[in-house]
Amino acid sequence: MSFFYLVAFLSVIFSLMTIFTKNPVHSVLYLVITFFTFTVHYIMLNAQFLAVVNFIVYMGAIMVLFLFVLMLLNLNKDTEPMKSPLVKVMGTIAGMCLLATFLGAFRALEHNDILITPHENIGLVENLGKVLFGEFLLPFELSSILLLTAMVGAVLLAKHEKGVKKQHG
């Protein structure tokens, strides 16, 4: 149990470093470490499928893509846009909402006496497939249609028409 709390503490520290680091490349690297700690959590909770998906999709694909995009953009202080006071006010409001959420979550933890019984097969692929294709079949199919629609839309947006010339100078 103490290893769980150590990994949870590291998750919080690295997620805070992701937020407060000014260099975007360092921020992405801290986010990769944060996702790695999440993977360790999934393994400790006997959710091997989620651990593998988190490792491959988030750490392997999305974060590497973010890192390449940030490196290609070559962000520095000269190209950074000035933040308006409206953006700062909205950030403050969002921070206050996050603080209220944390306070509500901690308050709910104090009064929660429900004993969680561990189930040894809860995170395995077999049980996930049974639930996904049984109880949640309709939302699963609807989300697949939504993803297919988004993919077709992205292809259509990326496709250049033959008669239209680029307007770059």
Side-chain angles (χ1 to χ4, degrees):
M1 195 61 144
S2 62
F3 184 69
F4 181 84
Y5 287 121
L6 174 70
V7 175
F9 176 74
L10 290 175
S11 296
V12 171
I13 293 297
F14 286 121
S15 62
L16 288 174
M17 290 174 76
T18 301
I19 295 170
F20 293 118
T21 301
K22 292 191 177 198
N23 188 342
V25 174
H26 292 165
S27 180
V28 168
L29 291 175
Y30 287 129
L31 190 59
V32 168
I33 296 171
T34 304
F35 281 140
F36 180 74
T37 58
F38 290 167
T39 301
V40 172
H41 274 122
Y42 289 139
I43 291 171
M44 291 174 62
L45 294 172
N46 199 18
Q48 291 89 5
F49 178 73
L50 289 176
V52 169
V53 168
N54 186 45
F55 187 79
I56 292 172
V57 174
Y58 286 105
M59 288 178 57
I62 294 175
M63 286 297 107
V64 171
L65 180 67
F66 277 3
L67 195 58
F68 281 132
V69 168
L70 285 175
M71 289 177 156
L72 289 175
L73 288 176
N74 194 16
L75 296 176
N76 54 25
K77 290 184 179 180
D78 297 334
T79 60
E80 183 176 330
M82 298 296 293
K83 294 179 178 62
S84 69
L86 179 65
V87 172
K88 292 179 182 176
V89 169
M90 295 303 287
T92 304
I93 291 172
M96 297 297 259
C97 289
L98 180 66
L99 182 65
T101 303
F102 278 138
L103 290 176
F106 287 133
R107 192 170 205 187
L109 283 177
E110 290 176 359
H111 301 293
N112 193 359
D113 293 334
I114 299 172
L115 179 62
I116 298 172
T117 56
H119 191 273
E120 60 190 30
N121 295 328
I122 198 165
L124 299 179
V125 177
E126 181 181 348
N127 293 330
L128 182 65
K130 286 178 183 175
V131 171
L132 200 59
F133 289 107
E135 186 177 343
F136 294 103
L137 181 63
L138 181 63
F140 180 72
E141 291 296 330
L142 290 176
S143 63
S144 68
I145 291 171
L146 180 67
L147 288 174
L148 180 66
T149 306
M151 188 171 61
V152 169
V155 169
L156 288 177
L157 287 175
K159 185 179 173 185
H160 295 287
E161 293 183 22
K162 292 183 179 180
V164 177
K165 294 181 180 179
K166 290 185 179 181
Q167 297 181 1
H168 297 287

